């Protein structure tokens, strides 16, 4: 990576020098590619198919009304992240931002938590294919054993694609996102139309609590449990995450300071609207589809019951493609984070993980490493009878911690930040920060519920491992070895790298 493109990250050793063609990742991504990364990571198909059954069990059908509130909260977070991405368009997103604005130790902590999140969320996403969709699609009994084998194969295939070529990965993802947009819009429209004409829609069911008592439904809960409606927020909190993955590919994006914030915000808005319409259609049908509420795969059961076996299964194939692309983007984002931290010589095994393969022009070693981490996480969780719940809970807790830390950092340092080149919150900055802060505090409080002990254990173990490595790093090399360029240096160094040329502007609009 040339010095100007790397955000003035001065190499400290001969091994850390980034000169040479084999260290460059080309800027070749335009707006749609950036939007596809953000949209593909979030993937409403993934989130809803994974977590909808838990919402029915803990909150009843009425729980879907927590979705619009979650969308507003996550949109405020995306706006804050857009303001940061416009100032520091470098691979590594929160790790880079916090390192430069607060300090390298805090940045390292944020980077490690982000690594822990990406390691578990790719397994949660891929496990959804094996445990909720394929059994319905091919009519077989899903078990923890076959779910493990299938998920391991999907994780491996995604890693192979990411390692082979960034361009091919983005082509696959863009095609999958296009298929997801078309498929989810078609699926939602058909559920409304066919469900209405066949009498399988009951809109009164949208306000039903089913087996959940009305008393205390909206209550805050106690010291070790959250109220029924509060638990419903986890559907949106789990689904609408990862939009910041577009910022993790900033060094490969044309005119990133303008393109990336726009892509993130548009992804959250489009997913929020389409996701809610889909939830309304599915929930209106659940009450009139025999066994749907008790099904282990309620969304898939409703789709095949309302649309018929042939049409329903055809659309389920599109959902599998959508979820696969989500895992693909997560793998891509994880490798870029490991690469960015290794390039700065502060990740375990950085000498190997910072290398760009001369033929593929991808961080091959970092990709293999992320694949192995995902396989280990899968092995840890896969023997649990409620593995999917544990995985999606851990994959919701970790980004909430990342978002809260990053938003708090922005709020504390916003007066000292230099002007943005491509995106600014302007007079809306304070209201957006307040809404984002309130939302994130509320979301984190939900995880006091005793059902989240497993996810907390995962977080604590990973943080413990990270703390040991960080302590060893500081003892061996000292705090000075973690020095990062300050914001002024970053902005000066990025002047040429991010200034929109005519060619870049034209490419970013494609």
């Amino acid at each position: 990576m040339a010095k100007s493109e790397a955000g003035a990250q001065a190499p400290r050793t001969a091994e850390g020098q980034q000169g040479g063609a084999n260290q460059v990742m080309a800027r070749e991504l335009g707006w749609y590619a950036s939007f596809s990364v953000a949209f593909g990571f979030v993937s409403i198909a993934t989130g809803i198919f994974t977590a909808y059954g838990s919402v029915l069990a803990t909150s009843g059908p009425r729980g879907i009304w927590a979705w619009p509130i979650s969308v507003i909260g996550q949109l405020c977070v995306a706006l804050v992240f857009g303001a940061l991405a416009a100032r520091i368009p470098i691979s590594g997103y929160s790790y880079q931002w916090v390192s430069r604005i607060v300090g390298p130790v805090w940045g390292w902590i944020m980077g490690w938590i982000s690594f822990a999140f990406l390691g578990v969320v790719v397994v949660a996403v891929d496990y959804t294919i094996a445990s909720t969709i394929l059994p319905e699609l091919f009519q077989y009994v899903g078990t923890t054993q076959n779910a493990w084998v299938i998920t391991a194969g999907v994780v491996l295939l995604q890693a192979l694609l990411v390692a082979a070529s960034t361009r091919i990965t983005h082509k696959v993802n863009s095609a999958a996102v296009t298929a997801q947009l078309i498929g989810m819009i078609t699926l939602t429209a058909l559920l409304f139309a066919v469900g209405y004409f066949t009498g399988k829609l009951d809109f009164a069911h949208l306000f039903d609590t089913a087996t959940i008592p009305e008393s205390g439904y909206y209550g805050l809960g106690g010291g070790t449990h959250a109220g029924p409606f509060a638990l419903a927020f986890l559907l949106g909190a789990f689904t609408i995450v990862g939009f910041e993955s577009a910022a993790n590919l900033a060094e490969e994006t044309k005119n990133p300071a303008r393109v990336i914030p726009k892509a993130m915000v548009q992804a959250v808005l489009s997913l929020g609207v389409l996701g809610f319409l889909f939830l309304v259609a599915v929930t209106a049908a659940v009450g009139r589809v025999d066994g749907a509420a008790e099904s282990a795969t309620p969304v898939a059961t409703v789709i095949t019951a309302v649309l018929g076996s042939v049409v329903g299964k055809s659309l389920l194939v599109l959902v599998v493609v959508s979820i696969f692309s989500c895992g693909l983007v997560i793998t891509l984002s994880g490798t870029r984070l490991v690469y960015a931290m290794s390039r700065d010589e502060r990740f375990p095994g950085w000498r190997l993980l910072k290398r760009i393969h001369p033929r593929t022009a991808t961080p091959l070693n970092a990709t293999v490493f992320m694949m192995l981490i995902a396989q280990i996480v899968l092995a840890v969780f896969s023997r649990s009878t409620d593995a999917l719940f544990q995985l999606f809970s851990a994959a919701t807790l970790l980004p909430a911690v990342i978002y809260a830390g990053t938003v708090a950092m922005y709020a504390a340092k916003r007066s000292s930040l230099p002007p943005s080149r491509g995106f600014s919150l302007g007079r809306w900055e304070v209201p957006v920060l307040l809404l984002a802060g309130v939302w994130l505090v509320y979301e984190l409080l939900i995880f006091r519920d005793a059902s989240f002990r497993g996810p907390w254990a995962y977080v604590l173990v990973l943080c413990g491992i990270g703390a040991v490595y960080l302590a060893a790093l500081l003892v061996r090399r000292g705090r000075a070895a973690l020095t990062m360029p300050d914001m002024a240096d970053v902005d000066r160094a990025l002047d040429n790298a991010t200034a929109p040329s005519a060619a870049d502007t034209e490419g970013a609009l494609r």
Side-chain angles (χ1 to χ4, degrees):
M1 181 65 63
K3 183 177 179 180
S4 61
E5 289 187 16
Q9 296 184 72
R12 288 177 289 275
T13 68
E15 293 176 321
Q17 291 182 6
Q18 303 301 320
N22 65 330
Q23 295 298 323
V24 174
M25 291 188 290
R27 290 187 182 272
E28 57 186 13
L29 307 182
W31 169 79
Y32 190 69
S34 186
F35 171 81
S36 295
V37 168
F39 192 100
F41 195 128
V42 176
S43 180
I44 50 176
T46 305
I48 293 175
F49 271 76
T50 302
Y52 182 73
S54 294
V55 172
L56 290 182
T58 60
S59 312
R62 191 187 296 178
I64 67 167
W65 295 100
W67 177 274
I69 302 173
S70 301
V71 171
I72 294 171
Q74 296 296 72
L75 178 62
C76 290
V77 176
L79 288 168
V80 174
F81 274 48
L84 283 166
R87 288 174 167 88
I88 313 179
I90 306 173
S91 295
Y93 55 106
S94 288
Y95 155 68
Q96 299 282 11
W97 302 333
V98 177
S99 291
R100 286 165 168 77
I101 298 175
V102 178
V105 173
W106 286 107
W108 190 95
I109 293 170
M110 191 63 67
W112 186 261
I113 295 173
S114 299
F115 159 70
F117 161 59
L118 293 167
V120 72
V121 71
V122 69
V123 179
V125 166
D126 292 341
Y127 200 83
T128 302
I129 296 176
S131 64
T132 69
I133 301 180
L134 294 186
E136 180 73 23
L137 196 58
F138 296 107
Q139 295 297 301
Y140 68 87
V141 177
T143 66
T144 55
Q145 287 76 22
N146 58 39
W148 183 354
V149 172
I150 294 170
T151 305
V154 173
V155 168
L156 177 60
L157 179 57
Q158 289 162 342
L160 289 173
L161 281 171
V162 171
S165 168
T166 299
R167 180 171 294 181
I168 292 175
T169 299
H170 282 293
K171 285 183 177 180
V172 171
N173 181 59
S174 294
V177 166
T178 302
Q180 181 178 179
L181 279 167
I182 295 171
M184 290 302 293
I185 291 171
T186 303
L187 179 56
T188 303
L190 285 175
L191 284 173
F192 275 119
V194 177
Y196 175 78
F197 285 110
T198 59
K200 289 184 177 178
L201 294 184
D202 179 7
F203 291 103
H205 194 59
L206 302 177
F207 306 94
D208 192 8
T209 62
T211 60
I212 310 300
E214 284 275 3
S215 178
Y217 184 82
Y218 295 105
L220 296 177
T224 58
H225 71 278
F229 190 64
L231 290 172
F233 283 94
L234 295 180
L235 174 61
F238 170 72
T239 304
I240 309 173
V241 296
F243 44 81
E244 72 279 7
S245 58
N248 204 20
L249 299 173
E251 295 174 31
E252 301 159 73
T253 303
K254 302 171 184 177
N255 193 13
R258 295 183 182 277
V259 168
I260 290 171
K262 177 182 176 182
M264 290 194 294
V265 171
Q266 289 176 333
V268 172
L269 283 173
S270 57
L271 286 157
V273 173
L274 181 55
F276 186 63
L277 291 174
F278 181 65
L279 281 170
V280 169
V282 170
T283 306
V286 162
R288 293 189 177 178
V289 172
D290 292 339
E294 295 77 30
S295 171
T297 58
V299 177
T301 300
V302 166
I303 290 172
T304 52
V306 174
L307 302 182
S309 179
V310 175
V311 175
K313 289 185 176 181
S314 298
L315 290 169
L316 284 177
V317 171
L318 284 179
V319 172
V320 171
V321 172
S322 300
I323 296 176
F324 179 84
S325 76
C326 177
L328 189 66
V329 171
I330 296 169
T331 302
L332 182 68
S333 188
T335 61
R336 294 313 188 263
L337 174 64
V338 170
Y339 162 74
M341 295 183 71
S342 298
R343 182 178 60 185
D344 293 338
E345 303 180 9
R346 58 198 60 178
F347 196 85
W350 59 266
R351 286 183 175 84
L352 288 174
L353 299 178
K354 74 184 181 69
R355 295 178 182 174
I356 300 296
H357 194 274
R359 185 175 61 82
T360 64
T362 61
L364 179 60
N365 293 341
T367 305
V368 173
F369 176 78
M370 281 302 300
M371 186 271 294
L372 293 175
I373 292 297
Q375 299 288 5
I376 292 170
V377 172
L378 172 62
V380 170
F381 281 97
S382 63
R383 293 189 179 276
S384 171
T385 55
D386 61 345
L388 190 59
F389 174 79
Q390 297 294 331
L391 286 165
F392 104 74
S393 298
T396 309
L397 170 60
L398 284 162
V401 173
I402 296 166
Y403 293 167
T406 306
V407 169
M409 172 274 299
Y410 183 94
K413 298 290 185 177
R414 64 189 181 89
S415 60
S416 62
L417 296 178
S420 170
R421 287 180 172 75
F423 180 82
S424 174
L425 294 176
R427 63 181 180 178
W428 295 100
E429 185 177 58
V430 173
V432 166
L433 281 170
L434 286 174
L435 284 173
V438 170
W439 158 246
L440 290 168
V441 169
Y442 180 78
E443 181 186 348
L444 285 170
L445 286 174
I446 297 173
F447 286 94
R448 72 188 186 280
D449 194 274
S451 61
F452 301 116
R453 288 174 181 168
W456 274 114
Y458 169 79
V459 172
L460 292 175
V461 169
L462 264 293
C463 287
I465 294 171
V468 171
Y469 180 79
L470 178 59
L473 187 65
L474 291 172
V475 168
R476 187 172 68 253
R477 297 171 57 189
R479 188 183 179 92
L482 298 181
T483 300
M484 300 287 278
D486 63 28
M487 270 304 307
D489 289 339
V490 171
D491 277 356
R492 281 195 295 270
L494 287 170
D495 276 340
N496 295 328
T498 62
S501 65
D504 282 349
T505 302
E506 180 183 355
L509 293 175
R510 286 201 294 267

